[in-house]
Amino acid sequence: MDQQNLRIVLAFSLDDQAWIRRSSIIVPKFWSGHGVTPQTGDALRIGGRQFVIQGRVWEHDGGTPILKLFLSSGHAESDTVFG
């Protein structure tokens, strides 16, 4: 698929959406110009937090294919996970 004709939309939890707005974080277009689409399990770092792609949904708006990515809740950089 031609990446120029694909729109990728990130779906954040409500808490993470509020955090992004409050912190005035600009979410970069990670896949702009890349020939490979993101996969389930890929991790993104945005504003010092990590998000993992948990699911993908393909949609079409009548003119452009859309890949909607459902992300995990973000974890602050200082979060520690054991096990």
Side-chain angles (χ1 to χ4, degrees):
M1 173 175 289
D2 183 9
Q3 197 71 344
Q4 294 177 357
N5 294 328
L6 174 64
R7 196 172 98 204
I8 297 175
V9 177
L10 302 177
F12 294 93
S13 71
L14 294 176
D15 288 340
D16 290 327
Q17 287 177 31
W19 168 75
I20 289 169
R21 276 193 308 274
R22 279 191 316 270
S23 302
S24 301
I25 293 174
I26 297 172
V27 178
K29 295 183 178 185
F30 289 102
W31 293 276
S32 180
H34 291 264
V36 178
T37 58
Q39 300 297 313
T40 303
D42 285 349
L44 311 174
R45 299 283 296 168
I46 301 170
R49 292 189 180 187
Q50 180 171 306
F51 300 87
V52 177
I53 299 173
Q54 293 185 319
R56 302 171 0 137
V57 173
W58 288 95
E59 299 176 339
H60 203 283
D61 66 3
T64 306
I66 300 168
L67 177 56
K68 189 170 188 177
L69 305 176
F70 293 91
L71 304 175
S72 66
S73 293
H75 298 287
E77 192 170 352
S78 62
D79 284 357
T80 304
V81 178
F82 297 100

